[in-house]
Amino acid sequence: NGGLTRTITTTLPNGYVRLVSSGSIAQVEKGLYEVDGQSYYVRVDPKSKPIVRTANGQQELLLPASGTIKYSLIW
């Protein structure tokens, strides 16, 4: 119904999980990110501490890799 929810379980100490890499990522509200000018959205737990960084000319949305990570792709 216009979306997909994924769950990742990891035990990487001090690591990060890249949820998406794109030309542009912008925070719309706490826990909701717009990808490529409204092409789709990524929703994460508002209590999480996501990072948006630029690497190799692309923006990346990262979350700390601790325990279980759940996020949704919405289009």
Side-chain angles (χ1 to χ4, degrees):
N1 231 7
L4 171 71
T5 299
R6 296 190 69 198
T7 302
I8 300 171
T9 303
T10 180
T11 57
L12 294 172
N14 303 317
Y16 286 87
V17 173
R18 181 175 66 185
L19 302 183
V20 65
S21 176
S22 176
S24 68
I25 299 172
Q27 184 175 8
V28 176
E29 62 186 49
K30 190 160 179 73
L32 183 64
Y33 293 83
E34 172 187 282
V35 181
D36 278 339
Q38 300 178 355
S39 290
Y40 65 97
Y41 296 86
V42 178
R43 182 174 301 281
V44 298
D45 181 350
K47 297 175 192 164
S48 66
K49 305 230 185 277
I51 296 171
V52 176
R53 73 172 183 186
T54 301
N56 299 320
Q58 294 283 305
Q59 289 193 302
E60 299 176 327
L61 179 61
L62 309 171
L63 280 179
S66 59
T68 300
I69 297 168
K70 186 174 181 178
Y71 67 100
S72 297
L73 302 173
I74 304 163
W75 55 86

